[in-house]
Amino acid sequence: MKKVLVTGANGQLAKCLQDVVTENPTSNYQFLFLDRSQLDVSRKELVETFFFSNQIDFCVNCAAYTAVDLAENEAELAFKANADAVKYLAEECAEQGATLFHISTDYVFDGKSREPYLPEDKPNPINVYGKSKLEGERWALELNPRTFVIRTSWVYSPYGKNFYTTMLRLMAEKDELNIVADQIGKPTDARDLAQYLYDLIVSENHNYGIHHFSGPDQMSWFEFAQKIAKENGFTTQINPIPTSEYPTPARRPMWSVLGD
Ligand SMILES: NC(=O)c1ccc[n+]([C@@H]2O[C@H](COP(=O)([O-])OP(=O)(O)OC[C@H]3O[C@@H](n4cnc5c(N)ncnc54)[C@H](OP(=O)(O)O)[C@@H]3O)[C@@H](O)[C@H]2O)c1
C-alpha cells in the first residue's frame, strides 16, 4: 500500500481532497491528513522527525500562509510557511524517492499580460504572498526531481473563509454590495482541483514540473459575485467598482488568467 501525506489538513483544499478520498475508497493508497497541530511544516525538526518514522510515497502540500493582505506585514511568517517549509518537505521527499505535489498560485505573475499565463512564462510577483509562493516553487523543483508544482487561482469551496463563503455571508446580510470589476481571473472549485490531484496520484503520472489548473471561465470578482448570487437565489444588488475604490494592503495582479 502506498502512503500519501497531505499537509495543512484544515484548509479548504485538503478538506476537499479528504472528501474525494472518502468517496473513492481504495486499498492501494493510505492517505494521512495532518493539520498544523499534527505537523507544523515550517518546523524543520518536526518535518524531519515525521519522515524519519514514516515512509511516504506522495506528499500533497496543501499547507500555506494564504492571508494575502496580512502577508505584507508578516513577510517572515509567510516565507516560513510558503518557502522554508517547502524546502524541508522537498528535501525529505527527495531522500525517500517520494513525489511532491506542491500547490502554488496565479499570484506569482504580475498580471500585466492579456494572454493566459503558461507554465513556462516568467513569474514576477507583485506582493509578499506571491514572492513567498514563488520561492517555495523554486525549492520544490530544485530539491526534488519528482515534483509537481500545481498553480491554481481564485480557489473557492464551502469550507473556511474564501470569496464564495464571504459572498454568501454578505449577501445574506446586505441589500447592496460593491465588488471589484477590473481584476480578472479564473475561479477554481477546490473540489475539482482535489479530484485532479487525486487522479494524478492514482494514475502514477510522472509528468513532473509546473502545471496550471484553474476553473473553465475567466471573469472579474464582480461577475463571480453575480454568479454566486444567481446560483444561490440572492437578489442583492451588486455594483461594479474599480480596484482604486477598494484599496488593500497587498497589490493584486489585474489579470491573472492561467492557461495550460
Ligand atoms: N485560496 C486561494 O484562492 C488560492 C489561490 C491560489 C493558490 N492557492 C494555494 O492553494 C493551496 C491551498 O490553499 P487553501 O485555499 O486550501 O488555503 P487555506 O484554506 O488557507 O488552508 C491552508 C492551510 O494551511 C495550514 N497551514 C498554514 N501554515 C502551516 C504550517 N506551518 N504547517 C501546517 N499547516 C499550515 C493552515 O492552518 P491553520 O488552519 O491552522 O491556519 C490552513 O489550514 C495553498 O498552497 C495556496 O497558496 C490558494
Side-chain angles (χ1 to χ4, degrees):
M1 183 186 288
K2 297 204 166 166
K3 251 192 183 174
V4 187
L5 164 67
V6 183
T7 64
N10 274 339
Q12 59 169 339
L13 176 58
K15 284 189 174 167
C16 289
L17 186 54
Q18 174 90 71
D19 290 343
V20 171
V21 169
T22 305
E23 287 160 29
N24 295 272
T26 163
S27 53
N28 297 333
Y29 297 87
Q30 182 195 6
F31 283 79
L32 206 54
F33 287 86
L34 299 185
D35 66 23
R36 191 207 292 257
S37 70
Q38 295 160 309
L39 179 61
D40 181 339
V41 291
S42 66
R43 290 182 55 192
K44 190 175 197 298
E45 74 284 9
L46 297 183
V47 174
E48 282 174 354
T49 305
F50 174 83
F51 276 84
F52 183 75
S53 6
N54 293 275
Q55 175 66 45
I56 292 299
D57 298 287
F58 301 92
C59 171
V60 186
N61 183 30
C62 295
Y65 180 107
T66 55
V68 176
D69 286 318
L70 269 183
E72 295 299 307
N73 285 321
E74 295 186 348
E76 201 180 322
L77 280 181
F79 273 84
K80 257 182 159 210
N82 293 344
D84 298 353
V86 187
K87 183 177 181 217
Y88 310 147
L89 290 170
E91 276 170 348
E92 296 300 327
C93 284
E95 203 157 298
Q96 294 202 353
T99 301
L100 173 63
F101 293 89
H102 175 59
I103 318 303
S104 193
T105 171
D106 55 330
Y107 282 14
V108 297
F109 295 113
D110 60 19
K112 290 185 181 148
S113 173
R114 289 299 174 268
E115 290 293 323
Y117 285 102
L118 301 176
E120 58 272 24
D121 285 344
K122 195 171 179 292
N124 182 31
I126 58 172
N127 57 38
V128 169
Y129 168 74
K131 288 176 186 161
S132 68
K133 293 295 293 183
L134 180 60
E135 191 171 310
E137 287 188 1
R138 290 183 169 153
W139 283 126
L141 292 164
E142 185 183 320
L143 296 172
N144 183 21
R146 292 172 210 82
T147 288
F148 287 86
V149 166
I150 312 286
R151 292 191 188 128
T152 187
S153 60
W154 296 27
V155 179
Y156 69 94
S157 74
Y159 298 121
K161 190 171 175 290
N162 57 71
F163 185 79
Y164 178 82
T165 53
T166 301
M167 283 301 115
L168 290 184
R169 179 175 54 79
L170 291 176
M171 285 170 188
E173 287 169 9
K174 300 186 181 217
D175 297 328
E176 196 173 344
L177 290 173
N178 295 337
I179 307 291
V180 169
D182 55 0
Q183 288 172 31
I184 310 293
K186 278 182 164 179
T188 304
D189 187 334
R191 171 68 195 221
D192 293 341
L193 176 56
Q195 185 70 54
Y196 169 75
L197 289 165
Y198 180 87
D199 292 344
L200 277 178
I201 293 167
V202 301
S203 64
E204 306 271 345
N205 189 307
H206 293 160
N207 192 15
Y208 308 121
I210 302 176
H211 298 263
H212 287 174
F213 182 92
S214 54
D217 303 316
Q218 74 183 58
M219 60 188 81
S220 66
W221 292 113
F222 163 71
E223 288 166 317
F224 189 23
Q226 284 183 314
K227 190 165 178 269
I228 294 167
K230 194 169 167 209
E231 285 173 359
N232 291 280
F234 286 106
T235 52
T236 316
Q237 186 182 322
I238 304 168
N239 306 315
I241 56 163
T243 299
S244 56
E245 284 181 26
Y246 187 74
T248 52
R251 283 171 67 211
R252 278 147 172 90
M254 296 302 283
W255 201 90
S256 62
V257 173
L258 295 178
D260 48 18

